[in-house]
Amino acid sequence: PTLTDLENNTNEITNPSAALVGDTTLTNDPINLVQYVYIAVSGNNTIDHTGRKCYTVVPQGYIINPLPTVDIVGTNNVYQ
């Protein structure tokens, strides 16, 4: 989920539908805020001195817009 996770080879996202990503400190920030998941793209041809495959970092940007706040049901407001 973070660049630090990618560099330390920790917190790998193995199930994208259950992944918890995003910066929780950004709650209540403006809509259309871009956040990133970092992807390591590697091949089998090169290995570094630690035995880890060499990789290129690909930041994948995404935008999550929160659901709108709606008044309590039963008020005089009409929604379509």
Side-chain angles (χ1 to χ4, degrees), residues 38-49:
Y38 296 89
I39 302 166
V41 178
S42 63
N44 293 324
N45 298 334
T46 54
I47 297 175
D48 69 9
H49 69 283

Side-chain angles (χ1 to χ4, degrees), residues 23-59:
D23 187 346
T24 57
T25 64
L26 298 175
T27 302
N28 299 322
D29 272 12
I31 293 175
N32 295 329
L33 180 68
V34 178
Q35 295 190 48
Y36 293 90
V37 171
Y38 296 89
I39 302 166
V41 178
S42 63
N44 293 324
N45 298 334
T46 54
I47 297 175
D48 69 9
H49 69 283
T50 67
R52 185 176 177 187
K53 294 178 184 178
C54 294
Y55 61 90
T56 298
V57 177
V58 179

Side-chain angles (χ1 to χ4, degrees), residues 4 7 9 15 20 26 28 31 35 39-42 55 60 68 73-75 78:
T4 302
E7 291 170 345
N9 203 24
N15 182 355
L20 298 175
L26 298 175
N28 299 322
I31 293 175
Q35 295 190 48
I39 302 166
V41 178
S42 63
Y55 61 90
Q60 177 64 56
V73 175
T75 62
V78 176

